Amino acid sequence: MAIKVTEDYVRFDAGDTSLILACAIGERPRIVYLGGRLFASHPAEIDLIHTRQHAHGSADVEIAPSILNELGAGVVAKAGFLVHRNGDEWYSFFSVTAIECLSEEEVVITCLDHHTNIEVKHTISMMVDNEVITFQTSVQNVGRSMLNLQSCMAACVPIGPQFDQTIGFSGRWAGEFKLQHIPKFIGSYVRENKKGRTSHDAFPAIILGTAEADENSGQALGFHLGWSGNSHIEVERLSDGRAFVHMGEYLFPGEVLLGAEEIYQTPILYVGYSGDGFNGLSHKFHNALKSKVLDDRKQNKPRPIHYNTWEAVYFDHSPQKLMELAQRAADVGAERFVLDDGWFGGRRNDQTGLGDWWIAAEVYPEGLKPLIDHVNALGMEFGIWFEPEMVNPDSELYRKHPDWILSAGDLEQVPFRNQYALDLTRSDVCDYLFGCIDDLLSHHNISYIKWDMNRDVHHPGHAAGRAVTSKQTKALYSLLERIRNAHPDIEIESCSSGGGRADYGILNHSDRIWTSDSNDALDRQHIQRGASYFFPLSIMGAHVGPEVCHITGRKLSMELRVATAFLGHMGMEMNLLDETPENLKILKLGISLHKQYRRLIHQGDFYRLDTPDFVNAVCVVSKDKEQALLSWCNMTGHSETLPPRIFFTGLKPDKLYRLRIIWPVGLQSITSPSIIDVMDLAGMGELVMGEALMKIGVQAPLLHPETCIIYHVQLDD
Ligand code: DGJ
């Protein structure tokens, strides 16, 4: 049982995490403590030792923060709740009226502000099996007049003073999930995303750590807003030593107006604590995502190897060529063939046809059935691309329904990939989209959708007026659910110009993310590492791209490209008809090796290694610690004579493991004899104790830059 409710407190304990809330009836609801597990201490004692005293130049009584730091209480920290009624009644002040346990993991704290007639409910849970805490707040207008809700965070979480390391996320198209280490500060680190999608540059997450925290040690807190719309993320460090993390939706002016009895609900904020560094945090988030967010019927199925047509043909579709590609893909081991953009309406380039979701007769005179049958006969599933939320002005749909788009007054649309966003808050728009998708799925053997979304939404106005990004995001989730309910076996990939819509909100309605449009293996090493803080390898689309990357122009070996896609949900995205027989052989070998190890890759515990900058190293260890894979990638050259040692992690110290290098096949070092030769690492390998692999480490072989090797260790029985 994670929850213990006493008269004045609610306490959650699981694993190494504790959360204590003060919520006496009639008092303001407060987060007293969130951090490492407390065993003996009583909540009242924890509350007491937080006592702060009066300081000159401040209020005569210390005003404690509350879950929303609302204005009426006079808290000096940033307010997490801003409302008014026609300019008045901004002074919210909540007191607890009821506490209800919904389950062994979840509690609802109901609060009323009887001064301004607003009720809020904080739904708070701690998942017993992975210790991730969730906060979600709903606001109900229990007054008669219109309530203008300017902002409401899911929660304002107080942070202990020891968490003074701040890590945020930045990025760009084809360069997502870049970590940024923020120097110590007083004030706020704020990320405001108003792009109408999760975004490439402001992934809604924050990691805080103690000063010395690294991948494997130190204390860390992780925060992620499971939301695919606009977001506000803030780490606030006050000059009085206190600190908070605020996370919620970024709302446009007038976006949430609540009439009598109407309710607004925030997105879910996920919070994790780790006493074992950032890797410990990732394990909890990965496990929470797998057990509570994703549809486990899909996740338990081995992740099929993809072949995606985009970079092979772009808009130049020909059934004959696609069939040849399908044949090649099957030959090298693909299990799912995904037909990307260009199969429908007049979509022969990116300026026309979006919205016209019928098979293009000029390209597919016999429909898609012959291609699908061919793909199925080759033993592959068939997947198809949609970008349902968008319309090209040059389309039949737009010509018929120009009023179906989001817009703002008479402002010109901001040009963006020649397309406008449809207004999903209109039921006729969703009915149309559902009808088109349902019709195609009902009449074809299609088991997978790549659901794309390729523009920021600058003018999210319904009928050119009220901003509706919040409602639009919820409508998107409902549309996805409607499709999943009608076609329970369908799997959905969330793509938004690559990784522009990757978050736990969308993953509650989909099964995979397209991590980035960059298939450049070296870029991907960074991108996948960045994504791994919150996302497990099983949902991270990772494709072997062409030899010369279409985005960076960099030429990279097939061995490196395979090694990089190997630790992910593996696939391919290149013109296989252009590849040399030698490269196809290497690709086929890599794919068959991935199939051999994919259970471990997708179900094991994932670790990032702390290494010098010229290397990216990650590792995945089976839950029973019987085997592990470790990928070591020389991104560039090293400055010292030899590369460093490689420290394994997560193994059983007192057990013998057989150490081998499984990729690339037949690897040789630059000079000999090397450790590869003396330990026969490219052959049968050697037996080494777990403690030696973890404490002493294995000498990395001398390799050229842009070489990635994969070790395998197997417990010897
Ligand atoms: C953007 C996606 O990220 C690509 O993979 C591809 O599907 C294109 N859109 C198609 O327009």
Side-chain angles (χ1 to χ4, degrees):
M1 170 89 172
I3 302 179
K4 194 164 172 206
V5 183
T6 57
E7 208 174 302
D8 295 337
Y9 298 95
V10 174
R11 174 178 187 148
F12 297 74
D13 297 297
D16 69 352
T17 307
S18 289
L19 167 69
I20 296 174
L21 307 165
C23 39
I25 303 291
E27 299 291 325
R28 293 168 56 234
R30 294 180 290 121
I31 299 171
V32 176
Y33 174 83
L34 192 164
R37 177 78 181 259
L38 302 169
F39 290 94
S41 318
H42 189 275
E45 175 192 329
I46 307 301
D47 209 2
L48 188 67
I49 61 168
H50 275 91
T51 303
R52 293 162 56 88
Q53 68 194 77
H54 165 68
H56 292 304
S58 41
D60 293 345
V61 285
E62 172 68 25
I63 301 162
S66 60
I67 298 180
L68 290 177
N69 285 348
E70 65 276 18
L71 283 179
V75 184
V76 293
K78 181 193 162 76
F81 187 73
L82 293 176
V83 288
H84 64 90
R85 292 182 195 273
N86 202 16
D88 199 352
E89 301 195 18
W90 48 267
Y91 38 81
S92 317
F93 188 101
F94 293 110
S95 315
V96 178
T97 54
I99 300 166
E100 187 192 354
C101 283
L102 295 186
S103 71
E104 296 196 341
E105 301 187 329
E106 194 168 38
V107 78
V108 179
I109 301 169
T110 305
C111 307
L112 183 69
D113 174 7
H114 61 83
H115 312 278
T116 65
N117 295 314
I118 303 169
E119 185 176 84
V120 300
K121 285 182 189 287
H122 301 289
T123 304
I124 302 171
S125 76
M126 184 191 274
M127 305 177 208
V128 179
D129 52 357
N130 52 61
E131 303 143 46
V132 168
I133 296 162
T134 62
F135 292 94
Q136 186 172 35
T137 293
S138 69
V139 183
Q140 185 168 22
N141 178 8
V142 293
R144 290 216 190 96
S145 59
M146 184 69 81
L147 182 71
N148 189 324
L149 182 94
Q150 206 173 308
S151 89
C152 177
M153 297 294 106
C156 305
V157 182
I159 302 304
Q162 69 273 40
F163 295 100
D164 58 359
Q165 194 186 152
T166 310
I167 304 172
F169 286 83
S170 72
R172 58 167 166 81
W173 171 73
E176 298 84 344
F177 304 107
K178 281 199 195 335
L179 263 59
Q180 39 169 3
H181 295 262
I182 318 296
K184 282 190 184 172
F185 61 92
I186 301 271
S188 281
Y189 167 72
V190 183
R191 302 305 306 274
E192 239 166 37
N193 166 39
K194 40 190 191 312
K195 294 189 165 172
R197 53 176 164 172
T198 321
S199 88
H200 297 86
D201 57 316
F203 171 60
I206 284 286
I207 296 171
L208 301 178
T210 47
E212 78 295 349
D214 57 22
E215 293 295 357
N216 286 315
S217 62
Q219 296 185 72
L221 289 167
F223 298 81
H224 168 57
L225 192 72
W227 186 239
S228 318
N230 296 336
S231 58
H232 176 96
I233 304 171
E234 185 160 349
V235 181
E236 187 188 28
R237 297 188 184 277
L238 299 179
S239 51
D240 65 13
R242 291 177 297 175
F244 299 87
V245 170
H246 309 257
M247 278 202 188
E249 236 182 315
Y250 174 90
L251 296 173
F252 277 43
E255 186 166 349
V256 179
L257 297 176
L258 298 178
E261 305 305 324
E262 282 186 336
I263 295 177
Y264 163 80
Q265 193 166 39
T266 69
I268 299 176
L269 167 60
Y270 295 83
V271 186
Y273 164 83
S274 159
D276 300 316
F278 307 133
N279 280 324
L281 210 54
S282 296
H283 293 165
K284 292 185 179 180
F285 276 98
H286 294 180
N287 291 337
L289 183 79
K290 285 179 181 172
S291 68
K292 288 285 164 30
V293 181
L294 294 167
D295 178 346
D296 52 1
R297 285 172 309 163
K298 317 283 171 54
Q299 289 303 305
N300 289 335
K301 163 183 164 189
R303 305 288 73 220
I305 300 283
H306 276 211
Y307 177 75
N308 183 293
T309 61
W310 180 238
E311 293 205 6
V313 300
Y314 292 107
F315 292 104
D316 189 14
H317 287 213
S318 119
Q320 182 54 35
K321 184 170 180 188
L322 289 165
M323 285 190 195
E324 286 169 32
L325 284 167
Q327 179 67 59
R328 276 280 160 90
D331 289 347
V332 294
E335 297 160 315
R336 181 181 277 157
F337 181 93
V338 182
L339 184 65
D340 212 286
D341 197 353
W343 58 268
F344 54 92
R347 186 77 169 169
R348 303 293 79 78
N349 54 52
D350 69 4
Q351 289 158 31
T352 60
L354 267 186
D356 299 343
W357 298 112
W358 48 86
I359 299 163
E362 57 171 306
V363 186
Y364 297 96
E366 294 169 61
L368 282 177
K369 218 170 162 299
L371 177 61
I372 297 176
D373 287 348
H374 176 72
V375 164
N376 292 159
L378 290 166
M380 294 186 287
E381 296 178 20
F382 191 87
I384 198 156
W385 182 94
F386 279 101
E387 192 179 359
E389 298 148 79
M390 296 289 156
V391 64
N392 285 128
D394 184 4
S395 65
E396 288 190 29
L397 182 70
Y398 186 74
R399 281 185 280 277
K400 202 162 158 199
H401 299 288
D403 54 331
W404 275 14
I405 60 166
L406 293 169
S407 60
D410 58 1
L411 289 179
E412 292 256 324
Q413 292 275 345
V414 176
F416 207 122
R417 214 191 185 211
N418 318 299
Q419 60 195 54
Y420 302 153
L422 290 169
D423 181 354
L424 300 191
T425 70
R426 292 177 62 126
S427 57
D428 48 2
V429 171
C430 287
D431 289 347
Y432 167 75
L433 294 172
F434 175 78
C436 294
I437 297 169
D438 179 56
D439 186 50
L440 195 82
L441 299 185
S442 302
H443 295 101
H444 296 85
N445 190 20
I446 296 175
S447 56
Y448 188 81
I449 293 176
K450 177 177 176 184
W451 186 292
D452 206 345
M453 193 280 203
N454 286 304
R455 73 158 291 164
D456 296 341
V457 184
H458 308 86
H459 294 152
H462 167 72
R466 282 260 298 274
V468 289
T469 307
S470 184
K471 288 188 179 147
Q472 171 91 353
T473 310
K474 287 171 185 163
L476 164 69
Y477 292 163
S478 302
L479 178 58
L480 285 163
E481 244 7 76
R482 192 170 163 193
I483 292 164
R484 296 224 291 192
N485 287 337
H487 302 275
D489 293 329
I490 202 87
E491 285 185 48
I492 300 178
E493 169 174 16
S494 170
C495 170
S496 182
S497 324
R501 189 148 68 191
D503 61 79
Y504 286 22
I506 201 74
L507 280 168
N508 200 215
H509 308 282
S510 57
D511 307 282
R512 183 196 208 237
I513 55 167
W514 180 224
T515 320
S516 177
D517 270 353
S518 177
N519 288 320
D520 176 305
L522 291 178
D523 279 358
R524 273 300 187 119
Q525 289 278 336
H526 289 301
I527 294 167
Q528 290 168 197
R529 184 180 176 110
S532 77
Y533 283 86
F534 290 90
F535 299 115
L537 301 181
S538 56
I539 60 106
M540 225 189 269
H543 293 177
V544 177
E547 184 166 42
V548 176
C549 174
H550 293 187
I551 289 174
T552 63
R554 191 151 46 188
K555 189 172 175 183
L556 297 167
S557 72
M558 180 59 91
E559 286 84 349
L560 175 66
R561 288 178 279 149
V562 166
T564 304
F566 197 89
L567 290 187
H569 179 179
M570 191 174 185
M572 295 158 264
E573 187 163 340
M574 64 176 107
N575 187 349
L576 289 170
L577 304 172
D578 280 355
E579 287 292 333
T580 62
E582 180 54 24
N583 270 348
L584 289 174
K585 210 170 127 198
I586 301 169
L587 179 60
K588 186 172 179 173
L589 215 58
I591 288 173
S592 98
L593 208 59
H594 174 88
K595 287 179 183 169
Q596 194 180 327
Y597 291 109
R598 69 181 150 190
R599 197 183 150 78
L600 162 63
I601 296 169
H602 297 147
Q603 297 186 5
D605 286 331
F606 178 79
Y607 295 85
R608 291 165 300 271
L609 272 61
D610 286 308
T611 58
D613 281 351
F614 80 91
V615 173
N616 179 40
V618 298
C619 153
V620 56
V621 182
S622 62
K623 295 269 183 212
D624 59 11
K625 297 179 183 294
E626 296 219 339
Q627 54 170 335
L629 290 168
L630 187 149
S631 155
W632 177 270
C633 183
N634 279 8
M635 309 287 290
T636 59
H638 42 91
S639 51
E640 282 151 12
T641 325
L642 283 178
R645 286 166 196 253
I646 302 173
F647 293 91
F648 280 76
T649 183
L651 306 178
K652 292 183 180 173
D654 55 345
K655 296 286 178 193
L656 266 179
Y657 289 88
R658 180 165 297 281
L659 173 72
R660 294 185 306 130
I661 293 176
I662 58 161
W663 189 262
V665 174
L667 175 75
Q668 289 186 341
S669 185
I670 295 173
T671 60
S672 62
S674 74
I675 190 151
I676 301 176
D677 308 318
V678 299
M679 291 183 82
D680 191 23
L681 292 178
M684 285 308 291
E686 268 294 349
L687 292 176
V688 189
M689 287 299 277
E691 62 174 6
L693 290 168
M694 293 191 292
K695 287 188 179 152
I696 304 168
V698 189
Q699 177 61 50
L702 198 57
L703 300 166
H704 287 303
E706 303 180 359
T707 303
C708 184
I709 58 178
I710 301 176
Y711 291 85
H712 179 245
V713 294
Q714 174 74 56
L715 199 128
D716 190 52
D717 40 18

